Amino acid sequence: MGSVVALIGVLMVLLSGLSVGLVNDGVSGLKQLPVSSFAFQQDVDKTAAFTRSVVDVDAAETWRAADGVADAGPFGLSLVNTRTDGGLDLDLALFGVERDSWLAPEAESGSALTGAGQIVLPDTLLDEGVAVGDAVTIDQVGTELEVVGFVGGQHTFGHVDVGYVDLPTWQEIRAGVRPGEAVPEHAYQEVSAIAVRNDGAGPDLAAVDGAAGMTSLTLTQSFGASPGFTAETSTLQLIQFFLYAISALVVGAFFTVVTIQRKNEIAVLRAMGASTRYLLRDSLTQSAILLLGSTALGVGIGLLLGASVSATAMPFALEPAPIVAASVALVVLGMVGAASAVTRITRVDPLTALGGNR
């Protein structure tokens, strides 16, 4: 019984790490932004808001003037294919932000964005051989960007690395302007969304949306606009739900078998005057010791396996809160299964259990 509970604990840790890893790989770039919400084009498809929305840069002024808004600024996002001058192919999510604004990233190494034609990348690309001074060329338009710095931590969107560029550069790339070509006037007026930072409780999003003719999503809601995010998280949540349900049934079934084997002993105790409460307390104490010990062992093994998996390219991340929640759920559901098994047996008439009817 202990080994089965431990194996379920291992599986819970691995599923938790995979869930967190996929979430981070899909939206860690958005999590790194000091943003409370995004305002998109009115009635935009919320599952692909960043890549389908087009709003006017001037809409930022409407949001800056709204009550409960500390600051607002234009924000651009595009998915592009690039190649470094070292021959490395990189799929990037380009984040277009205004230089020296609250949205601009602070470089951990190298420098921040100071001019056009520059790009700041995550330091995870250092392991792939990208360095300050390298040139990154956008395949679709041939625009060449100079790597000037790196930001620390994971910065990804839609399972590709984020590249930060200044807003005019992003607007030119989005418009498909090749080097030397004239830039259409409308290009510098269009962005993907308006990024909003709350002041205190924040603005009434619905009211400001109505005045500006836009559709707002909180930062958490905007995660659903990352490619594949909703499908991946829903699938893993469904798997975890069934794992919890199966763990309760499995543990309950094991305790039922054990309790049935102890039916005569329980009947003797009942015949001697033992109450149902006493029998439940005795059995649940044993169950708790087994569940806590086995779960701790399983979580420990899972953490060791997770640490080795984290070193690979697999999107896997261990965080305390999900693991603790999964462990508590396993113990609680196991106790529910154990209580159900014991309650069923303690209701049996002592004489019948002892064979007094024969």
Side-chain angles (χ1 to χ4, degrees):
M1 288 176 63
S3 63
V4 170
V5 174
L7 287 173
I8 294 175
V10 172
L11 186 56
M12 282 179 142
V13 172
L14 295 180
L15 272 178
S16 174
L18 184 58
S19 299
V20 174
L22 283 172
V23 168
N24 289 340
D25 207 46
V27 297
S28 61
L30 296 178
K31 287 183 175 182
Q32 298 283 4
L33 295 173
V35 173
S36 303
S37 63
F38 289 99
F40 298 97
Q41 175 184 329
Q42 191 171 32
D43 300 325
V44 70
D45 180 359
K46 295 180 181 179
T47 62
F50 286 106
T51 53
R52 295 188 180 183
S53 171
V54 179
V55 300
D56 195 281
V57 172
D58 296 335
E61 296 300 329
T62 302
W63 284 93
R64 289 192 188 103
D67 293 335
V69 174
D71 208 341
F75 176 77
L77 192 156
S78 299
L79 300 175
V80 297
N81 306 117
T82 69
R83 178 184 289 263
T84 68
D85 52 0
L88 178 65
D89 291 322
L90 293 177
D91 295 327
L92 294 176
L94 289 186
F95 282 11
V97 297
E98 293 178 318
R99 296 193 301 269
D100 300 323
S101 72
W102 59 280
L103 282 170
E106 295 183 4
E108 189 172 89
S109 61
S111 65
L113 297 172
T114 57
Q118 298 178 345
I119 187 170
V120 173
L121 297 172
D123 61 5
T124 51
L125 293 177
L126 289 170
D127 295 334
E128 299 189 31
V130 183
V132 172
D134 286 357
V136 176
T137 302
I138 309 296
D139 289 349
Q140 294 87 337
V141 294
T143 300
E144 188 174 284
L145 304 172
E146 178 190 2
V147 179
V148 295
F150 293 91
V151 289
Q154 185 179 13
H155 293 250
T156 52
F157 177 84
H159 305 297
V160 298
D161 291 299
V162 169
Y164 296 89
V165 297
D166 76 309
L167 193 62
T169 299
W170 176 87
Q171 290 167 324
E172 293 169 7
I173 293 172
R174 177 188 172 277
V177 178
R178 295 180 176 275
E181 291 183 349
V183 181
E185 293 184 4
H186 68 83
Y188 293 126
Q189 285 299 117
E190 296 176 347
V191 291
S192 301
I194 302 300
V196 178
R197 183 174 61 181
N198 289 353
D199 180 17
D204 183 342
L205 295 180
V208 184
D209 279 344
M214 304 179 77
T215 297
S216 289
L217 297 175
T218 64
L219 179 63
T220 302
Q221 291 172 339
S222 71
F223 294 167
S226 173
F229 177 84
T230 302
E232 291 169 353
T233 54
S234 298
T235 300
L236 285 170
Q237 287 172 357
L238 186 62
I239 293 173
Q240 286 178 315
F241 170 78
F242 279 109
L243 177 61
Y244 294 153
I246 291 170
S247 66
L249 290 173
V250 168
V251 174
F254 272 114
F255 277 113
T256 298
V257 173
V258 172
T259 306
I260 289 175
Q261 291 176 339
R262 297 174 57 211
K263 182 163 61 174
N264 290 339
E265 288 82 355
I266 293 175
V268 170
L269 290 173
R270 287 294 307 276
M272 294 173 63
S275 65
T276 300
R277 178 181 299 179
Y278 170 82
L279 294 174
L280 276 174
R281 184 172 66 249
D282 175 68
S283 180
L284 290 180
T285 299
Q286 297 179 49
S287 303
I289 294 172
L290 175 66
L291 286 167
L292 289 171
S294 301
T295 300
L297 176 62
V299 169
I301 296 173
L303 291 175
L304 290 175
L305 292 174
S308 62
V309 173
S310 299
T312 67
M314 181 183 295
F316 189 93
L318 294 172
E319 291 185 358
I323 295 174
V324 171
S327 302
V328 171
L330 176 58
V331 173
V332 170
L333 291 174
M335 293 294 289
V336 170
S340 301
V342 177
T343 302
R344 178 182 176 185
I345 298 301
T346 54
R347 291 175 179 173
V348 176
D349 181 69
L351 290 177
T352 301
L354 292 170
N357 60 331
R358 290 179 297 188

